[in-house]
Amino acid sequence: EEAVLEERFEARIDEGAFIEAKDWMPEHYRKTLVRQISQHAHSEIVGMLPEGNWISRAPTLKRKAILLAKIQDEAGHGLYLYSAGETLGTSRDQMLQALHTGKAKYSSIFNYPTLTWADVGVIGWLVDGAAIMNQIPLCRCSYAPYARAMIRVCKEESFHQRQGFDSLLVMMKEGTPEQRAMVQDATNRWWWPSLMMFGPPDADSPNTAQSMRWGIKRLSNDDLRQKFIDATVPQAEVLGVTLPDPHLQWNEERQHHDFGPIDWQEFWRVVNGEGPCNRERLAARVKAWDDGAWVREAALAHARKKNTAAEA
Ligand code: FAQ
């Protein structure tokens, strides 16, 4: 019977149908989604930390208000994504425990430090830019609750990308030589890690083939990385910054930009916990969880009291 259900499921996927939470699905499909959606949620929440570092030091009231709104959006994205994950039968507590014990991953990009104000602009421009490139195809993911969450997330990410680009443009066009140097320095530090956000090359990506067959991923890691590079080169020209890759060059034949080798050893080092800020980021999340224990206990006690009152 299982085989029949699986065949029917595969046929629906082939027709391009969307799968809803209550539909039958193979265990491996469910597991793959919980893995990707929970890691995506963790990335949003951990991703609040590097920028949060600058809220109290934003240069103007306007920039502070924008940054606060952006970081609150990331919290919202994390919450939609945990909810989407819960529709697959894994609780939020289970997902968070996997993060806090180091079992679940989150995006490598958030293990790099934000050294100057220009980093905040560059995160908007490059990190949110890469996030949008990766997430637009996820709006057509075969698992409908995830696809629906992505639609709103992408709209908000596009505001995030624009605010980052705008803040950099102001520094480059109206700023001092020191400010322009700061933008260039931040670009130099974030460019390669942004390219790593798309994941390992297709040939070394154990999950891509199956996820693409199931319509979870619509485009491969390398295809998205190439699209991101092609979209970003002209933006760097508008800004007047140099992307730190001497091999970056338009290839007329391929109709794409060629680019230099990515340091995959660095990528795996960061993914496996040895990046510049891995320990600090995880410790911050564990502390927030521990510090919030009294809120969870109080909410439970209140709910119990209400239930008892209702029964009496
Ligand atoms: N970092 O076989 P694949 C944001 C892992 S945007 C860490 O290719 P898959 C917005 C991968 O999990 C960032 N680990 O895997 C924001 C797997 O390990 P596993 C979040 C990585 O899943 C902006 C192993 O390597 N976006 O937060 C990374 O098919 C600004 C083999 O890789 C998403 O999560 C990496 N970069 O493809 C917030 C998007 N790459 O799980 C705040 C949804 C790979 O088997 C401020 N996710 N790994 O133990 C995806 O599209 C996919 O999961 C990929 C990876 C493309 C990330």
Side-chain angles (χ1 to χ4, degrees):
E1 195 198 345
E2 180 95 0
V4 175
L5 287 169
E6 181 137 8
E7 216 168 281
R8 216 177 288 158
F9 173 87
E10 297 288 347
R12 288 189 64 200
I13 292 280
D14 292 344
E15 284 163 13
F18 285 102
I19 307 300
E20 293 290 347
K22 289 186 174 156
D23 294 345
W24 186 90
M25 62 186 82
E27 235 4 75
H28 185 192
Y29 178 82
R30 185 185 298 277
K31 267 205 182 135
T32 298
L33 281 165
V34 170
R35 178 183 63 78
Q36 178 167 328
I37 296 172
S38 66
Q39 296 188 148
H40 193 168
H42 301 329
S43 302
E44 298 283 355
I45 299 297
V46 176
M48 297 167 76
L49 298 168
E51 291 170 291
N53 186 34
W54 282 91
I55 293 173
S56 61
R57 290 177 288 165
T60 66
L61 184 59
K62 178 179 123 180
R63 294 292 171 197
K64 180 169 175 148
I66 293 171
L67 185 58
L68 269 173
K70 175 187 195 292
I71 296 172
Q72 285 178 10
D73 285 350
E74 314 294 1
H77 298 175
L79 298 184
Y80 316 149
L81 285 162
Y82 285 126
S83 298
E86 284 184 313
T87 64
L88 292 156
T90 302
S91 72
R92 189 174 305 198
D93 281 0
Q94 285 172 310
M95 291 185 255
L96 285 171
Q97 205 200 347
L99 172 69
H100 297 156
T101 54
K103 257 192 246 138
K105 295 184 169 75
Y106 58 86
S107 183
S108 52
I109 194 75
F110 303 118
N111 292 307
Y112 292 86
T114 40
L115 303 181
T116 71
W117 171 250
D119 289 45
V120 172
V122 169
I123 287 177
W125 174 38
L126 296 179
V127 176
D128 286 278
I132 297 169
M133 197 55 92
N134 160 276
Q135 285 169 185
I136 291 281
L138 292 175
C139 297
R140 293 181 290 118
C141 165
S142 61
Y143 188 58
Y146 189 27
R148 283 192 289 266
M150 279 301 114
I151 292 171
R152 175 154 176 190
V153 168
C154 283
K155 286 185 184 159
E156 293 177 350
E157 299 287 25
S158 104
F159 151 64
H160 298 169
Q161 198 272 352
R162 294 298 292 270
Q163 66 82 35
F165 189 82
D166 174 74
S167 113
L168 298 177
L169 197 60
V170 169
M171 281 191 272
M172 291 304 289
K173 301 294 175 206
E174 294 161 34
T176 60
E178 287 81 3
Q179 284 173 314
R180 283 196 289 277
M182 197 164 79
V183 174
Q184 182 62 58
D185 171 65
T187 304
N188 293 347
R189 285 181 288 106
W190 289 90
W191 173 247
W192 292 104
S194 300
L195 299 186
M196 295 175 193
M197 286 175 71
F198 295 95
D202 295 349
D204 303 319
S205 163
N207 300 299
T208 292
Q210 183 58 262
S211 287
M212 287 187 70
R213 258 195 308 277
W214 275 330
I216 295 172
K217 286 166 87 163
R218 297 286 182 187
L219 292 168
S220 78
N221 299 358
D222 285 331
D223 287 350
L224 287 168
R225 189 169 10 252
Q226 180 73 63
K227 274 168 80 85
F228 173 71
I229 292 169
D230 291 341
T232 308
V233 167
Q235 296 170 2
E237 275 164 24
V238 172
L239 281 177
V241 296
T242 307
L243 295 172
D245 179 358
H247 300 285
L248 198 57
Q249 202 182 1
W250 178 251
N251 182 324
E252 191 57 39
E253 206 173 303
R254 290 203 309 126
Q255 289 290 303
H256 287 298
H257 290 86
D258 290 336
F259 54 97
I262 295 175
D263 183 351
W264 292 112
Q265 275 182 350
E266 172 179 328
F267 170 77
W268 289 115
R269 226 173 20 246
V270 176
V271 170
N272 291 321
E274 299 298 326
C277 302
N278 293 60
R279 280 176 191 77
E280 187 184 330
R281 300 292 185 236
L282 202 55
R285 289 314 314 158
V286 171
K287 180 174 186 307
W289 175 257
D290 291 344
D291 288 352
W294 70 273
V295 180
R296 294 189 298 276
E297 281 159 21
L300 282 173
H302 180 70
R304 266 196 302 271
K305 219 155 109 188
K306 265 179 89 178
N307 282 345
T308 329
E311 276 165 26

